[in-house]
C-alpha cells in the first residue's frame, strides 16, 4: 500500500491554497464543499475566486507565498504552474508537519487528491497513487454511473436507525441480515428517490414487523433485446443483487454473464427438445422462492410488460402478499429497429406504431382493418410462424402488397441478420430467418438503406 486512505474532517478548519488559476478552482471547490476555512494566496485571481471572496466563502491574500501563511493550517495545496514555487510550499509544509498536496507532482506530495464519488454521507475515493490520474477518473465515472443518487439518503436513514436495530436484534448476524434487507429493498430505495417520507417509514416498519427469513421479494427485470450493453443501470444492479434468477430463452448469454456468480439460475424457457415451462409453473417457482426469503429476479427478454406476461406473474405475487417491483427494459421493437436503421415513427411515413403479438389466434381476434391502415408502423412479436397469415390478412384488408417489410433475426446481437422486402414476399421471407425474429411492416422500413448506421453488424438483405 503506497498511500494510507484517509477521510479528513475539515469543517471549520483552516486550510491554505497557493494559486488561483483554473486548476486551483477545482481544488478550492472540493475544500469549500468539505466546509474548510479556506485562505487563497496568489498574485492574480480568476473571476470565480473573486466571486467566492465577495460571498465570504474564502479569504484572499494578494501577493507572494510566505511560510508564515502556514501557521495554524491543517493542510495546504500548491496549485500553481510554477514548479519551483510548489516545491517551496512543500518544503515549508514538511518542516511544520502539515500535509501538502502538489498538483502534477504527486511523488513529492505528502497526500494526494483522489477522484471522488459523492453520495454524502457515503463517499467513495478512487486513486492510482498519482500514476494514472486519467484511469482513476475513468473508474470514477463508471462507478458514478452505477451508483444510484439516493444512496446518500439511504446512508442517512441507516445512521438514524442504528440504535433501534441494535435494540431490536440482539444477535449480530441477525442485525447484518436485517441491514442487507434494508439496503437491497428496491421499493424503499424508490420511495427515498421520490422523497416520499411516509412510504419510506411504512417500509421500515414492515421490515421491523416481519421475520427476517420471510421477507423475500421478486423484481421483474427487462433484459433488453440481446445486447448486454443495452441493460439499464438499474437492471444491472438488480441482477447483481439477486439470490435467484429465473430467466427465459430470450435472455442472451451476454446478459446472463453479468448475473451475480453465486446466484441460483432457473431456466424456464424453451429449448430444442424441451417443452416450455407452463406459465402456472413459472408463477409457482417465483412464489416459492420468494416465500423462502429469497431475493428473486425474474429476467425477461425485452421489456417485461410488453408481451412478457409480467402482469400475470405480478397478479399471482400480489394475491400471495409477496413484495415486488419492476425494472423496465428496452423492448425488442425499439432495439431491433434502431440497430437496423429503421425509425419506428417518421413524420412522412408513420404517425403511430403498433406492437402486435403473432401468437394471436387466426379466428378474427386481431382487428385487421385497423392494422391495415396506412401511415403507421406494425411490429409483430413472435410472428414468424404466422407470417403467411399476417401477409394474407393485411392484404385482404387493404394494405398495399408493395409495403416494405423487414425481418430482424437475433436483433441487437453480433448475430443480427436483417432480411427486407415487400408485404407480398413476407411469407416467403419468413423461411429465410430463424427464431427469435421480429417483423416490422411499414413505410419506415424503406429508410433502412439510408439510415443503417449499424452496418458493422453482420446483416443480410
Amino acid at each position: 500500500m503506497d498511500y494510507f486512505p484517509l477521510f479528513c474532517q475539515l469543517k471549520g478548519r483552516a486550510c491554505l491554497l497557493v494559486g488561483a488559476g483554473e486548476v486551483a478552482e477545482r481544488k478550492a471547490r472540493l475544500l469549500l464543499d468539505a466546509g474548510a476555512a479556506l485562505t487563497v494566496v496568489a498574485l492574480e485571481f480568476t473571476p470565480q475566486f473573486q466571486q467566492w471572496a465577495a460571498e465570504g466563502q474564502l479569504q484572499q491574500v494578494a501577493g507572494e507565498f510566505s511560510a508564515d501563511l502556514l501557521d495554524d493550517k491543517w493542510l495546504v495545496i500548491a496549485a500553481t504552474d510554477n514548479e519551483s514555487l510548489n516545491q517551496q510550499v512543500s518544503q515549508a509544509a514538511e518542516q511544520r508537519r502539515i500535509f501538502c498536496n502538489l498538483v502534477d507532482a504527486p511523488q513529492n506530495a505528502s497526500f494526494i487528491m483522489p477522484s471522488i464519488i459523492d453520495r454524502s454521507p457515503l463517499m467513495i475515493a478512487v486513486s492510482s497513487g498519482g500514476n494514472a490520474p486519467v484511469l482513476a477518473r475513468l473508474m470514477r465515472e463508471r462507478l458514478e454511473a452505477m451508483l444510484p443518487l439516493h444512496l446518500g439518503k439511504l446512508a442517512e436513514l441507516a445512521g438514524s436507525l442504528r440504535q433501534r436495530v441494535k435494540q431490536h436484534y440482539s444477535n449480530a448476524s441477525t442485525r447484518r441480515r436485517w441491514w442487507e434487507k434494508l439496503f437491497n429493498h428496491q421499493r424503499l430505495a424508490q420511495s427515498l428517490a421520490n422523497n416520499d417520507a411516509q412510504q419510506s417509514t411504512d417500509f421500515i416498519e414492515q421490515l421491523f414487523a416481519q421475520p427476517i427469513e420471510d421477507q423475500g421479494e421478486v423484481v421483474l427485470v427487462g433484459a433488453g433485446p440481446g445486447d448486454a450493453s443495452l441493460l439499464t443501470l438499474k437492471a444491472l444492479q438488480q441482477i447483481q443483487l439477486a439470490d435467484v434468477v429465473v430467466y427465459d430463452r430470450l435472455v442472451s448469454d451476454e446478459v446472463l454473464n453479468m448475473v451475480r456468480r453465486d446466484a441460483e439460475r432457473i431456466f424456464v424457457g424453451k429449448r430444442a427438445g424441451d417443452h416450455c415451462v407452463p406459465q402456472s409453473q413459472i408463477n409457482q417457482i417465483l412464489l416459492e422462492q420468494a416465500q423462502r426469503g429469497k431475493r428473486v429476479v425474474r429476467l425477461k427478454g425485452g421489456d417485461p410488460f410488453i408481451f412478457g406476461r409480467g402482469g400475470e406473474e405480478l397478479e399471482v405475487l400480489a394475491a400471495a402478499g409477496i413484495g415486488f417491483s419492476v425494472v423496465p427494459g428496452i423492448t425488442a421493437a425499439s432495439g431491433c429497429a434502431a440497430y437496423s436503421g429503421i425509425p419506428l415513427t417518421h413524420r412522412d411515413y408513420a404517425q403511430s406504431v403498433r406492437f402486435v403479438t403473432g401468437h394471436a389466434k387466426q379466428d378474427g381476434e386481431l382487428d385487421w382493418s385497423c392494422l391495415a391502415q396506412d401511415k403507421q408502423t406494425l411490429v409483430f412479436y413472435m410472428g414468424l410462424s404466422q407470417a403467411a397469415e399476417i401477409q394474407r390478412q393485411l392484404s385482404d384488408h387493404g394494405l398495399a402488397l408493395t409495403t416494405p417489410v423487414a425481418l430482424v433475426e437475433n436483433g441487437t446481437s453480433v448475430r443480427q441478420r436483417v432480411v427486407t422486402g415487400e408485404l407480398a414476399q413476407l411469407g416467403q421471407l419468413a423461411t429465410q430467418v430463424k427464431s427469435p425474429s421480429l417483423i416490422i411492416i411499414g413505410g419506415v422500413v424503406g429508410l433502412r438503406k439510408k439510415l443503417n448506421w449499424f452496418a458493422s453488424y453482420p446483416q443480410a438483405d
Side-chain angles (χ1 to χ4, degrees):
M1 183 188 298
D2 294 329
Y3 288 88
F4 181 75
L6 181 70
F7 289 89
C8 297
Q9 172 58 270
L10 294 180
K11 188 169 295 183
R13 291 185 170 142
C15 298
L16 179 68
L17 176 62
V18 183
E22 292 182 1
V23 174
E25 279 186 18
R26 295 197 293 269
K27 306 301 183 183
R29 282 193 177 91
L30 292 172
L31 292 171
L32 291 174
D33 285 346
L38 182 59
T39 299
V40 183
V41 57
L43 297 176
E44 296 181 359
F45 297 87
T46 66
Q48 179 62 73
F49 276 105
Q50 292 172 358
Q51 179 180 341
W52 280 328
E55 294 171 349
Q57 297 191 56
L58 54 79
Q59 179 183 356
Q60 287 183 342
V61 176
E64 300 281 355
F65 166 77
S66 61
D68 60 348
L69 288 171
L70 291 172
D71 292 344
D72 300 322
K73 299 299 187 293
W74 288 79
L75 62 77
V76 58
I77 298 176
T80 77
D81 55 6
N82 185 326
E83 184 176 344
S84 176
L85 174 57
N86 290 343
Q87 287 297 326
Q88 180 186 343
V89 175
S90 175
Q91 292 169 6
E94 185 72 19
Q95 292 173 359
R96 289 164 173 76
R97 298 182 181 180
I98 298 173
F99 280 114
C100 179
N101 172 254
L102 275 67
V103 173
D104 293 332
Q107 68 279 5
N108 297 323
S110 55
F111 83 93
I112 55 177
M113 301 283 286
S115 292
I116 297 171
I117 300 98
D118 188 354
R119 298 289 188 272
S120 295
L122 181 67
M123 299 288 292
I124 300 172
V126 181
S127 173
S128 66
N131 292 298
V134 174
L135 177 60
R137 177 177 59 79
L138 290 174
M139 292 301 99
R140 178 191 64 77
E141 290 174 356
R142 293 183 184 181
L143 290 171
E144 187 84 56
M146 292 175 60
L147 300 175
L149 293 175
H150 70 262
L151 282 181
K153 296 178 181 178
L154 189 58
E156 288 181 347
L157 176 64
S160 69
L161 293 171
R162 288 186 64 184
Q163 191 60 34
R164 182 180 176 187
V165 172
K166 188 173 183 179
Q167 293 174 349
H168 195 88
Y169 301 105
S170 58
N171 183 276
S173 64
T174 303
R175 289 198 296 269
R176 178 182 54 80
R177 284 160 50 208
W178 190 91
W179 285 118
E180 288 175 350
K181 290 290 184 182
L182 175 81
F183 295 135
N184 292 329
H185 195 302
Q186 187 58 39
R187 290 171 295 157
L188 172 61
Q190 190 62 54
S191 67
L192 289 172
N194 294 338
N195 294 312
D196 192 331
Q198 183 58 54
Q199 190 176 60
S200 300
T201 299
D202 291 344
F203 287 141
I204 292 297
E205 295 308 318
Q206 290 173 16
L207 283 174
F208 277 115
Q210 298 173 2
I212 293 291
E213 62 273 13
D214 293 337
Q215 293 176 18
E217 63 178 333
V218 177
V219 184
L220 249 61
V221 175
D227 185 349
S229 65
L230 293 180
L231 273 177
T232 65
L233 293 175
K234 199 168 186 178
L236 179 60
Q237 291 160 6
Q238 292 304 315
I239 64 176
Q240 292 182 344
L241 289 172
D243 299 314
V244 180
V245 175
V246 181
Y247 68 100
D248 57 45
R249 74 181 184 92
L250 294 179
V251 178
S252 69
D253 290 339
E254 292 81 4
V255 170
L256 286 174
N257 286 338
M258 304 182 81
V259 171
R260 200 178 83 186
R261 296 300 180 191
D262 57 346
E264 180 183 356
R265 302 184 186 191
I266 302 176
F267 177 70
V268 294
K270 182 180 181 181
R271 286 177 174 154
D274 294 331
H275 294 292
C276 183
V277 178
Q279 185 62 50
S280 59
Q281 186 175 340
I282 296 174
N283 297 344
Q284 191 61 30
I285 290 172
L286 298 176
L287 192 59
E288 291 176 354
Q289 292 293 332
Q291 288 173 335
R292 293 174 186 170
K294 303 286 188 177
R295 181 173 181 80
V296 185
V297 164
R298 174 64 169 111
L299 195 56
K300 293 174 173 286
D303 182 274
F305 277 2
I306 297 183
F307 304 129
R309 306 186 78 169
E312 298 175 37
E313 294 170 359
L314 293 190
E315 285 183 298
V316 173
L317 298 173
I322 297 296
F324 59 82
S325 59
V326 182
V327 179
I330 295 177
T331 187
S334 179
C336 293
Y339 274 49
S340 303
I342 301 172
L344 290 177
T345 62
H346 189 285
R347 186 167 57 179
D348 297 329
Y349 299 98
Q351 283 74 53
S352 64
V353 57
R354 292 174 179 259
F355 299 161
V356 189
T357 173
H359 278 180
K361 299 177 181 178
Q362 300 179 37
D363 57 3
E365 183 175 317
L366 294 177
D367 189 343
W368 291 103
S369 60
C370 286
L371 294 177
Q373 297 294 317
D374 198 15
K375 296 291 185 178
Q376 66 178 349
T377 303
L378 303 178
V379 182
F380 283 88
Y381 288 66
M382 302 165 289
L384 208 56
S385 63
Q386 302 296 326
E389 177 65 12
I390 292 170
Q391 173 186 326
R392 184 184 70 81
Q393 290 282 9
L394 290 176
S395 174
D396 289 350
H397 286 82
L399 190 61
L401 288 172
T402 56
T403 302
V405 300
L407 292 86
V408 185
E409 175 186 310
N410 288 314
T412 77
S413 75
V414 294
R415 300 175 298 281
Q416 174 174 302
R417 293 180 62 245
V418 181
V419 177
T420 59
E422 297 181 342
L423 180 61
Q425 305 168 294
L426 182 57
Q428 185 271 328
L429 292 175
T431 65
Q432 301 178 24
V433 297
K434 298 178 181 179
S435 181
S437 292
L438 202 72
I439 300 173
I440 305 175
I441 303 174
V444 293
V445 176
L447 295 169
R448 179 172 182 266
K449 289 189 180 295
K450 183 188 301 184
L451 303 180
N452 183 21
W453 53 88
F454 285 95
S456 58
Y457 283 83
Q459 301 173 359
D461 287 318

